[in-house]
DNA sequence: AACGCGGGGCT
DNA sequence: AGCCCAGCGTT
C-alpha cells in the first residue's frame, strides 16, 4: 500500500506554494493553521498575500490584531487568526523567532494541536511523525478497515493503525504523510471517490466489500447554519472588517432582529478578543465598536 | 467525549 | 438543502 501510494504521489502531487523548495518552516506552520477546516482552494491566495506581508514570525507578532483580522478576511473561524498571531509571538519570545521542531514545543504553541504539530514536523522538517487528518482517516477507514467513512471522532485504534503504517526513516515517513493526505484529497474523497483512479483499489477493503454505506450516517448531522450564533458572529465580524472607523452600536444592532441573541454574540466576541467596545465621550450615548 | 466555532462551493 | 473542508480549545 505504501509503495503504491508513494508512487502515485510522485505523479500527482499538487504544486502548492507551501510545498515549494524555498518554503520556510514558518510558512508551513501558517499554511497548516489556515488549512484547519478551510479548503486548499481558498487558503492558497490568502497564504500568498499573508506571507508577502508578514514573512517572519516577528513581522506578524508586531502587527495590529485589527490588521491581522482584516487579512484573515473570510477564511472562517477568526479566532484562528488571533491564535496564529499569539503563536508568532510565542515563537519570537520562546524560540528566538525560529519555529521549533520538538513535539513538546510545537504543541505548546497557541493554535497548534496534534495534527498541526505532526504536520509541521513532517512538512517543514522532513521528520517522521503520525499525521492523521480527515483525509488520512478516510483513506485508512476505507482501504484497511473497509468502511465508508471513519467514526465521527478520532479513536485510539485509528491512531495505532496510522502509527503502524508510517515508514521508519524520516524522509520516507514525511513523504508518506503528504502522499496519504493527497490521496484522500484528490482520489479517495468523501463524496464521490474516484476508485478507478486509485493506486490501491486492488487492495482496498471497502471496495472489496462492495462499497457498503456509511454506518454512522444517522449521527453525522451537521449543525444548521441559518440563525445560529455562528452566523450572527460572522455578520458582526464582516461589518467590523469592512468598516473604516468605529461602528455605532445602532449599526451593529441593525444586523440581527433578535436582540438577545445579538447581545450574546457581541459579548462572546468581546470575550474572544475579536471585538472591542469603546464608551462614547458623552457617557449617556451608546458605545461604538471596532476590531481590537 | 461532546460541543462551539465561519464560510463558501459542490452535489 | 445538505454536505464537506490539512482542527483546536474548552467543558
Amino acid at each position: 500500500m505504501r509503495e503504491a501510494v508513494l508512487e502515485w504521489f510522485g505523479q500527482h502531487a499538487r504544486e502548492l506554494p507551501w510545498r515549494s523548495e524555498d518554503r520556510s518552516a514558518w510558512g508551513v506552520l501558517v499554511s497548516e493553521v489556515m488549512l484547519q477546516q478551510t479548503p486548499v482552494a481558498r487558503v492558497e491566495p490568502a497564504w500568498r498575500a499573508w506571507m508577502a506581508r508578514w514573512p517572519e514570525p516577528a513581522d506578524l507578532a508586531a502587527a495590529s490584531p485589527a490588521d491581522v483580522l482584516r487579512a484573515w478576511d473570510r477564511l472562517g473561524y477568526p479566532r484562528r487568526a488571533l491564535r496564529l498571531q499569539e503563536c508568532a509571538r510565542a515563537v519570537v519570545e520562546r524560540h528566538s523567532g525560529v519555529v521549533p521542531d520538538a513535539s513538546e514545543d510545537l504543541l505548546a504553541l497557541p493554535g497548534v494541536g496534534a495534527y498541526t504539530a505532526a504536520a509541521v514536523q513532517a512538512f517543514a522538517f522532513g521528520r517522521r511523525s503520525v499525521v492523521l487528518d480527515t483525509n488520512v482517516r478516510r483513506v485508512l477507514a476505507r482501504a484497511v478497515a473497509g468502511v465508508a467513512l471513519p467514526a465521527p471522532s478520532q479513536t485510539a485504534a485509528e491512531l495505532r493503525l496510522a502509527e503502524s503504517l508510517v515508514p521508519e526513516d524520516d524522509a520516507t515517513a514525511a513523504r508518506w504523510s503528504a502522499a496519504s493526505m493527497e490521496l484522500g484529497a484528490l482520489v479517495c474523497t468523501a463524496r464521490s471517490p474516484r476508485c478507478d483512479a486509485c493506486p490501491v483499489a486492488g487492495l482496498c477493503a471497502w471496495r472489496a466489500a462492495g462499497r457498503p454505506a456509511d454506518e454512522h450516517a444517522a449521527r453525522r448531522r451537521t449543525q444548521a447554519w441559518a440563525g445560529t450564533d455562528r452566523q450572527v458572529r460572522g455578520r458582526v465580524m464582516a461589518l467590523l472588517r469592512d468598516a473604516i472607523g468605529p461602528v455605532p452600536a445602532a449599526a451593529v444592532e441593525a444586523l440581527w432582529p433578535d436582540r438577545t441573541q445579538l447581545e450574546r454574540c457581541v459579548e462572546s466576541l468581546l470575550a474572544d478578543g475579536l471585538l472591542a467596545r469603546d464608551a462614547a465621550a458623552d457617557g449617556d450615548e451608546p458605545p461604538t465598536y471596532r476590531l481590537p
Side-chain angles (χ1 to χ4, degrees):
Chain A
M1 172 169 176
R2 290 183 301 209
E3 207 170 305
V5 173
L6 287 167
E7 162 67 20
W8 170 87
F9 186 62
Q11 311 262 335
H12 296 95
R14 289 170 292 182
E15 284 188 23
L16 298 170
W18 46 88
R19 285 178 179 167
S20 78
E21 278 303 318
D22 62 346
R23 72 188 181 284
S24 66
W26 175 245
V28 171
L29 178 44
V30 170
S31 78
E32 292 302 340
V33 173
M34 289 183 170
L35 287 162
Q36 291 165 3
Q37 298 286 279
T38 302
V40 168
R42 278 201 291 156
V43 164
E44 191 167 344
W47 183 90
R48 292 181 192 280
W50 190 283
M51 294 307 295
R53 185 171 183 182
W54 299 301
E56 303 288 338
D59 303 317
L60 184 61
S64 82
D67 285 345
V68 170
L69 288 168
R70 287 203 171 89
W72 194 260
D73 196 34
R74 297 178 174 189
L75 288 182
Y77 296 140
R79 297 191 295 196
R80 287 185 294 158
L82 295 185
R83 290 200 200 110
L84 182 55
Q85 185 176 36
E86 292 166 22
C87 177
R89 290 178 176 150
V91 168
V92 169
E93 288 167 17
R94 299 176 204 163
H95 305 288
S96 307
V98 179
V99 177
D101 63 353
S103 292
E104 195 178 332
D105 293 333
L106 285 166
L107 286 169
L109 297 172
V112 177
Y115 162 76
T116 303
V120 169
Q121 288 188 304
F123 307 144
F125 298 112
R127 293 255 311 273
R128 185 180 190 278
S129 64
V130 183
V131 172
L132 190 53
D133 78 323
T134 188
N135 291 304
V136 178
R137 290 187 68 214
R138 189 171 52 247
V139 169
L140 299 186
R142 287 176 180 160
V144 180
V147 297
L149 292 171
S153 46
Q154 189 181 306
T155 65
E158 269 183 284
L159 188 59
R160 285 196 300 274
L161 171 63
E163 216 283 280
S164 74
L165 290 173
V166 179
E168 282 309 310
D169 73 285
D170 283 321
T172 312
R175 193 165 172 78
W176 161 254
S177 293
S180 51
M181 283 178 64
E182 195 80 337
L183 186 65
L186 299 182
V187 174
C188 194
T189 56
R191 199 65 75 86
S192 45
R194 302 167 43 213
C195 299
D196 55 340
C198 182
V200 295
L203 53 74
C204 178
W206 182 55
R207 191 159 178 268
R211 294 173 54 160
D214 173 26
E215 54 196 43
H216 301 98
R219 293 187 48 217
R220 230 178 266 281
R221 298 275 168 264
T222 55
Q223 186 183 8
W225 167 247
T228 60
D229 284 5
R230 285 158 73 175
Q231 184 185 20
V232 178
R233 284 169 55 107
R235 281 199 185 184
V236 175
M237 290 304 294
L239 175 69
L240 274 288
R241 268 199 313 271
D242 299 339
I244 303 300
V247 172
V252 174
E253 285 158 11
L255 288 174
W256 198 255
D258 183 340
R259 205 55 160 264
T260 304
Q261 185 179 18
L262 182 62
E263 185 173 344
R264 179 172 70 240
C265 290
V266 166
E267 292 303 323
S268 72
L269 289 169
L270 288 165
D272 285 344
L274 290 166
L275 184 64
R277 178 166 55 198
D278 300 308
D282 178 342
D284 293 334
E285 295 298 311
T288 61
Y289 293 93
R290 60 180 168 77
L291 293 179

